[in-house]
């Protein structure tokens, strides 16, 4: 795995301290520190897999030289030289061909070599003043499954939670900030970004496949200062791999999967990278197709494996070096998910069986276009202009035949359409030993439309729906000031003015609604980072966020109502330790408290009708831990857990017993353990073995007595291995080794869940054989 070297830390001070202890001349610094300082100051990406950079001592680089000239000076006499990857990227390699040795591409990087890009400044992980989870290699989330998506990341990351309606319609939550289990009009509590472009405003996360992704970052806690309304739980930032301007690349991988109690599936993906003008213009194209096997039987219709799901999608990016360090990226994404039926079972029918009169299929489509223009100066100043347009559409059909009691086949259809247009211009400066800052302005336009029908399949009746249009403009800024060489202070704020206008699709019954709401809000951030030892830092952070209001369907046929904005404020303290070298321990841990007011929630009534309301307030406490131990090269153990406690106050919560006044989808304890071992032989082959386990505690479907339905409380295990030789790889994986059918989610059909017999079982034991080729 390449070691990214851009950092943001007082490297000179630490190097001088090391030199003083070791008796070395203070004018010399470790080569990795010098490369780090150069990368941060110039904005260049400098990487290396070569060992021993910390033991090589060089004189610090003088200012005024180009990056290439500075690298030549630093590396002179070291036996290393710089290879230009593209106009702004370099790789440090041995000057002579070394003997064949074992390579470990999944070798963990020291935390100080990982840059937090979601902070909109180039901040090294060790000195980032907040809780963050970074997945640097998406393939390691589910090693035997190349068809992974955000749901797989959620299952492997305790700090993330989600619902289990199915791919493309699962709501995402971060660190227990969960409003409801149902999809509706409220803005999402966790925002998903594709690079610098927001992928959605309300509803579930889009469920795109994560092929050819460079990294994934989860910023925990409200991100109102940097990301605006909606990110009250945090943000997930997906960073796709950019087009390579220097050389052509291609890859293809796929696999076949078989369920022990169900059907079979497949996944196939390919990537082509073509430099059209070397070092100036390149295009990168990704395409994929997958099928998730069904495993639910329907006894009434005498069908098996009804919940088969197909996904088809692709991406394209055109990268342009416009000269004078200006860069332009034009990109597009399209994906379609088609599910034949819902994935829930009924306890009276069996662990993997239910009874329904009608199929309950759903579709989810997403299209995204983006343009990003940027430039970095040698001073560390960077400008970025990002514009994105996202179109999303979803159709859900539920069997409502039990509602009328006549035996007539009745369907409820819900159609949602969303269009989101965003633009952000920002200017930033990253400095390894001085003031770092970012300022910017953002515009947003969102249109959410919901339409519904209910009735006999041959002649359904249109129900009232709503359309919400939100427009907002904001300015923001954040600065990190080094108070001393070890203590830094971060201050920031965002001023937003927004308006939401709602319009029902028909004249509502009852009193008229307020169809327009305007708001003006300031969201501040205060944080600090204290380097108490060269590889150990303490951080603290306080920040806030909010969600806009609007109108939504209300209880009772033909009614709509207003729901108000909600807001949250969070405080946290934590410790982060980095690993230096190829072995050792790294970890991060934090405690947080959140106060959430006027919680918006999408709900269903006892008559199967959706509505949205402000349900009260909640206090949320969380303790999290992430540890990574490499006792010897090739052997790795990772452990993570989240413990959370919350209490909800309000009329809805008061209808339940005191012990069950909880937010939905938030188990008190979630934990994961991953073990892996990698080795190589003299023939150039590399082998991987891994085992993993995860535990999810008990949670409830929703707040209040009506939704106080248990789910969760299960353990899941997986094993697998792989073989890699030159550009070829093969793998075998077994998920859910013990073939458990525990209930992940106590909901499948919101029209009939009042019977309290619905379960969403774990996917049965799955065998997958995969192969890939890169060149």
């Amino acid at each position: 795995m390449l070691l990214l070297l851009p950092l943001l830390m007082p490297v000179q001070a630490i190097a001088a301290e090391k030199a003083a202890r070791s008796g070395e001349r203070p004018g010399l610094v470790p080569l990795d520190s010098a490369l780090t300082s150069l990368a941060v100051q110039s904005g260049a990406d400098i990487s290396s897999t070569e060992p021993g950079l910390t033991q090589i001592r060089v004189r610090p680089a003088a200012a005024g030289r180009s990056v290439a000239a500075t690298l030549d000076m630093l590396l002179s006499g070291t036996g290393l030289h710089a290879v230009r990857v593209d106009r702004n990227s370099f790789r440090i390699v041995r000057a002579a061909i070394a003997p064949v040795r074992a390579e470990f591409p999944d070798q963990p990087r020291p935390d100080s070599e990982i840059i937090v890009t979601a902070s909109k400044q180039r901040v090294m992980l060790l000195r980032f003043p907040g809780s963050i989870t970074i997945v640097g290699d998406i393939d390691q989330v589910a090693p035997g499954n190349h068809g992974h998506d955000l749901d797989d990341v959620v299952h492997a990351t305790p700090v993330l939670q989600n619902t289990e309606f199915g791919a493309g319609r699962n709501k995402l939550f971060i660190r227990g900030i969960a409003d409801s289990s149902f999809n509706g009009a409220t803005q999402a509590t966790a925002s998903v970004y594709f690079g610098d472009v927001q992928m959605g405003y309300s509803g579930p996360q889009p469920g795109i496949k994560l092929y050819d992704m460079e990294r994934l970052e989860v910023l925990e806690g409200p991100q109102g200062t940097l990301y605006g309304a909606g990110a009250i739980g945090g943000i997930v930032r997906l960073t796709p791999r950019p087009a390579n301007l220097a050389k052509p690349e291609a890859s293809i991988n796929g696999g076949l999967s078989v369920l022990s109690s169900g059907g079979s599936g497949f996944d196939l993906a390919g990537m082509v990278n073509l430099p059209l003008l070397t070092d100036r213009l390149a295009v990168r194209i990704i395409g994929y197709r997958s099928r998730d096997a069904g495993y639910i039987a329907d006894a009434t219709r005498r069908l098996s494996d009804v919940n088969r799901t197909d996904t088809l999608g692709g991406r394209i990016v055109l990268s342009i070096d416009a000269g004078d360090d200006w860069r332009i990226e034009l990109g597009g994404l399209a994906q379609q998910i088609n599910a034949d039926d819902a994935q829930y079972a009924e306890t009276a029918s069996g662990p993997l069986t239910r009874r329904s009169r009608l199929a309950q299929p759903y579709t989810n489509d997403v299209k995204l276009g983006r343009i990003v223009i940027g430039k970095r100066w040698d001073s560390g100043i960077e400008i970025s202009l990002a514009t994105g347009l996202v179109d999303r559409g979803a159709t859900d059909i539920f069997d409502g035949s039990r509602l009328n009691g006549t035996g007539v086949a009745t369907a409820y259809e819900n159609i949602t359409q969303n269009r989101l247009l965003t633009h952000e211009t920002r200017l930033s400066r990253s400095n390894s030993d001085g003031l770092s800052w970012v300022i910017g302005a953002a515009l947003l336009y969102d249109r959410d439309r919901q339409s519904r029908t209910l009735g006999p399949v041959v002649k359904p009746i249109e129900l009232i729906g709503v359309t919400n249009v939100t427009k907002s403009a904001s300015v923001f800024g954040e600065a990190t000031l080094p108070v001393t060489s070890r203590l830094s202070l971060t201050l920031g704020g965002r001023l937003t003015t927004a308006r939401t206008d709602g319009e029902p699709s028909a004249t509502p019954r009852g009193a008229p609604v307020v169809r327009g709401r305007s708001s003006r809000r300031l969201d501040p951030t205060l944080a600090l980072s204290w380097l108490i030892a060269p590889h150990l830092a303490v951080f603290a952070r306080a920040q806030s966020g909010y969600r806009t209001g609007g109108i939504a369907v209300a209880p009772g046929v033909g009614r709509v109502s207003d729901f108000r904005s909600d807001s949250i404020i969070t405080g946290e303290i934590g410790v982060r330790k980095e690993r230096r070298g190829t072995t050792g321990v790294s970890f991060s841990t934090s405690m947080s408290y959140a106060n959430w007011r006027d919680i918006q929630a999408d709900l269903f009534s006892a008559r199967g009708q959706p509505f949205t309301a402000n349900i009260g307030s909640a206090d949320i406490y969380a303790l999290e831990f992430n540890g990574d131990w490499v006792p010897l090269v090739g052997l790795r153990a990772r452990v993570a857990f989240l413990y959370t406690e919350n209490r909800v106050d309000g009329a809805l919560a008061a209808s339940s017993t005191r012990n069950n006044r909880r937010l939905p989808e938030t188990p008190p304890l979630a934990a994961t353990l991953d073990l892996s071992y990698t080795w190589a032989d003299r023939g150039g082959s590399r082998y991987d073995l891994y085992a993993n386990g995860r535990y999810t505690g008990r949670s409830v479907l929703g707040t209040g007595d009506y939704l106080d339905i248990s789910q969760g409380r299960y353990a899941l295990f997986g094993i697998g291995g792989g073989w890699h030789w030159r550009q070829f790889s093969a793998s075998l994986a077994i998920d859910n080794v013990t073939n458990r059918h525990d209930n992940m989610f106590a909901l499948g059909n919101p029209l009939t869940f009042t019977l309290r017999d619905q379960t969403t079982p774990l996917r049965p034991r799955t065998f997958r054989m995969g192969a890939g080729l890169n060149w």
Side-chain angles (χ1 to χ4, degrees):
M1 180 180 293
L2 296 181
L3 303 179
L4 270 115
L5 295 172
L7 313 178
L8 186 59
M9 65 179 292
V11 292
Q12 288 86 355
I14 295 175
E17 182 179 319
K18 287 182 178 178
R21 290 198 304 264
S22 61
E24 298 174 359
R25 289 180 295 169
L28 299 181
V29 299
L31 176 58
D32 66 334
S33 296
L35 293 172
T36 288
S37 181
L38 173 62
V40 171
Q41 293 172 12
S42 66
D45 290 327
I46 305 173
S47 60
S48 179
T49 57
E50 300 296 344
L53 299 187
T54 57
Q55 282 73 47
I56 301 175
R57 304 288 164 166
V58 298
R59 293 194 178 278
R65 297 171 178 260
S66 67
V67 177
T70 304
L71 285 172
D72 289 341
M73 185 272 290
L74 288 174
L75 300 177
S76 178
T78 64
L80 302 163
H81 75 288
V83 175
R84 184 187 290 271
V85 177
D86 56 35
R87 188 175 181 85
N88 200 48
S89 303
F90 300 85
R91 186 181 183 190
I92 310 305
V93 298
R94 292 287 173 187
I97 298 176
V100 175
R101 60 184 179 87
E103 295 285 351
F104 300 96
D106 62 342
Q107 181 174 307
R109 295 175 289 183
D111 291 348
S112 62
E113 295 172 348
I114 301 175
I115 301 302
V116 180
T117 58
S119 66
K120 300 188 179 181
Q121 304 174 60
R122 299 175 66 82
V123 183
M124 74 170 186
L125 178 59
L126 180 63
R127 299 306 305 273
F128 178 72
S131 296
I132 184 172
T133 299
I134 297 179
V135 181
D137 186 353
I138 306 297
D139 289 339
Q140 296 304 311
V141 170
N145 178 14
H146 287 280
H148 40 245
D149 54 22
L150 259 181
D151 292 337
D152 295 304
V153 177
V154 170
H155 297 158
T157 311
V159 77
L160 299 177
Q161 303 87 41
N162 70 339
T163 59
E164 295 289 350
F165 269 118
R169 57 176 183 173
N170 291 329
K171 295 179 71 171
L172 175 68
F173 310 115
I174 300 176
R175 203 163 63 183
I177 308 300
D179 53 0
S180 77
S181 296
F182 303 92
N183 297 322
T186 61
Q187 195 174 359
T189 63
S191 299
V192 179
Y193 281 75
F194 187 81
D196 288 319
V197 173
Q198 186 174 348
M199 291 203 69
Y201 190 79
S202 62
Q205 59 95 355
I208 65 169
K209 297 293 184 180
L210 304 182
Y211 292 107
D212 203 46
M213 286 289 171
E214 188 172 87
R215 60 156 50 178
L216 177 150
E217 295 169 279
V218 182
L219 283 183
E220 302 169 27
Q223 303 297 320
T225 296
L226 292 180
Y227 288 93
I232 63 172
I235 69 109
V236 175
R237 189 176 192 270
L238 308 173
T239 302
R241 291 194 175 99
N244 190 333
L245 299 174
K247 64 177 182 179
E249 299 174 343
S251 67
I252 185 170
N253 60 69
L256 298 174
S257 56
V258 178
L259 276 60
S260 59
S261 304
S264 60
F266 66 88
D267 57 88
L268 181 66
M271 181 276 295
V272 175
N273 184 100
L274 295 174
L276 305 178
L277 293 174
T278 305
D279 294 333
R280 289 292 182 183
L281 177 65
V283 63
R284 194 177 188 94
I285 303 172
I286 299 97
Y288 52 87
R289 169 77 188 276
S290 67
R291 171 171 294 170
D292 295 328
Y295 54 91
I296 299 295
D298 192 304
T300 299
R301 294 181 291 145
R302 298 182 181 180
L303 298 174
S304 61
D305 310 331
V306 297
N307 59 316
R308 187 180 69 180
T309 304
D310 288 289
T311 303
L312 176 66
R315 305 199 311 267
I316 184 170
V317 60
L318 184 69
S319 294
I320 304 169
D321 184 337
D324 195 27
D325 291 326
W326 283 94
R327 66 189 187 280
I328 302 173
E329 275 196 0
L330 302 170
L333 175 154
Q335 179 179 281
Q336 183 177 66
I337 298 174
N338 291 289
D340 291 344
D341 212 326
Q343 62 180 24
Y344 72 96
E346 294 171 339
T347 54
S349 301
L352 299 176
T353 305
R354 71 164 183 268
R355 295 179 178 275
S356 55
R357 290 286 306 276
L358 301 173
Q360 300 172 75
Y362 70 88
T363 64
N364 181 284
D365 301 303
V366 58
K367 300 180 183 65
L368 178 148
R370 66 187 180 108
I371 176 170
V372 181
I373 303 172
K375 175 181 170 68
R376 293 174 183 169
W377 286 269
D378 291 341
S379 62
I381 294 178
E382 180 177 358
I383 188 172
S384 176
L385 300 92
T387 302
L389 177 63
V390 181
D391 270 311
R392 295 176 58 184
T395 300
D396 300 276
I397 296 177
F398 298 105
D399 183 8
S401 302
R402 296 185 187 179
L403 295 179
N404 53 37
T406 63
V408 177
T410 302
Y412 173 79
E413 183 176 30
N414 185 70
I415 301 174
T416 57
Q417 295 174 308
N418 170 264
R419 171 164 290 185
L420 176 64
L421 176 64
T422 58
H423 173 80
E424 179 182 273
T425 296
R426 70 173 184 267
L427 193 66
S428 62
R429 183 175 188 267
S430 300
N431 195 325
S432 61
D433 55 2
L435 177 67
S436 296
W437 49 263
V438 58
I439 58 174
L443 300 172
L444 178 146
Y445 170 89
D446 177 78
R447 183 179 184 273
D448 280 326
R449 182 175 182 270
Q450 178 191 33
S451 57
R452 309 178 300 144
T453 62
L454 174 66
V457 176
V458 294
K459 194 176 181 180
I461 300 171
E462 184 176 356
L463 303 180
I464 194 169
V466 294
T467 298
N468 282 306
V469 175
T470 301
K471 303 174 184 176
S472 73
S474 58
V475 293
F476 63 90
E478 188 173 276
T480 300
L481 174 67
V483 180
T484 69
S485 61
R486 294 178 176 270
L487 179 65
S488 62
L489 179 66
T490 299
L491 295 169
R494 187 186 195 103
L495 178 63
T496 303
T497 178
R499 180 174 177 85
T500 299
D501 290 289
E503 184 72 28
S505 60
T507 302
R509 297 180 182 178
V513 297
V514 179
R515 298 186 179 180
R517 289 185 180 273
S518 297
S519 61
R520 181 173 296 172
R521 182 178 172 89
L522 176 65
D523 285 298
T525 293
L526 172 63
L528 63 85
S529 173
W530 179 26
L531 192 68
I532 60 177
H535 313 307
L536 185 67
V538 175
F539 63 85
R541 192 176 190 94
Q543 53 194 349
S544 65
Y546 79 106
R547 292 189 293 175
T548 58
I551 70 169
V553 175
V557 177
R559 299 181 184 275
V560 297
S561 64
D562 298 281
F563 60 95
R564 303 182 305 275
S565 297
D566 58 359
S567 62
I568 195 169
I569 184 168
T570 299
E572 64 177 320
I573 58 173
V575 180
R576 184 174 288 118
K577 180 188 180 299
E578 71 171 0
R579 173 181 45 242
R580 298 295 291 177
T582 57
T583 59
V585 174
S586 66
F587 71 84
S588 66
T589 184
S590 69
M591 296 184 295
S592 64
Y593 164 74
N595 181 251
W596 192 0
R597 296 292 180 184
D598 290 327
I599 300 171
Q600 301 172 4
D602 296 308
L603 304 168
F604 265 76
S605 70
R607 298 181 62 185
Q609 293 298 311
F611 69 98
T612 301
N614 296 87
I615 64 171
S617 301
D619 294 308
I620 305 160
Y621 303 87
L623 171 66
E624 62 181 285
F625 176 84
N626 284 276
D628 192 335
W629 179 37
V630 183
L632 52 91
V633 174
L635 180 62
R636 187 175 189 180
R638 289 176 289 189
V639 61
F641 73 80
L642 173 72
Y643 173 81
T644 181
E645 179 66 30
N646 64 73
R647 283 292 181 268
V648 183
D649 294 320
L652 184 63
S655 66
S656 184
T657 62
R658 180 172 293 274
N659 290 337
N660 286 329
R661 295 174 185 176
R662 295 181 54 83
L663 294 171
E665 310 303 325
T666 56
L669 178 65
T672 60
L673 174 64
D674 297 272
L675 301 173
S676 63
Y677 183 60
T678 301
W679 75 97
D681 62 24
R682 292 184 177 274
S685 292
R686 179 171 64 86
Y687 306 90
D688 306 313
L689 290 176
Y690 73 87
N692 55 50
R694 64 183 175 97
Y695 172 77
T696 301
R698 174 187 176 272
S699 63
V700 295
L701 184 64
T703 302
D705 181 66
Y706 180 57
L707 299 176
D708 187 10
I709 306 174
S710 293
Q711 55 193 22
R713 193 178 286 167
Y714 59 84
L716 196 63
F717 301 94
I719 58 174
W723 170 57
H724 311 265
W725 180 71
R726 296 183 179 178
Q727 287 78 36
F728 178 78
S729 63
S731 63
L732 174 64
I734 306 174
D735 292 328
N736 192 5
V737 173
T738 56
N739 201 31
R740 302 284 298 182
H741 301 317
D742 299 86
N743 180 25
M744 296 187 293
F745 187 51
L747 177 63
N749 182 347
L751 301 182
T752 59
F753 81 96
T754 53
L755 300 175
R756 294 174 178 256
D757 68 342
Q758 296 182 12
T759 68
T760 302
L762 292 166
R763 181 174 289 271
R765 183 190 298 118
T766 303
F767 301 85
R768 181 187 181 275
M769 296 178 291
L773 184 64
N774 300 273
W775 65 91

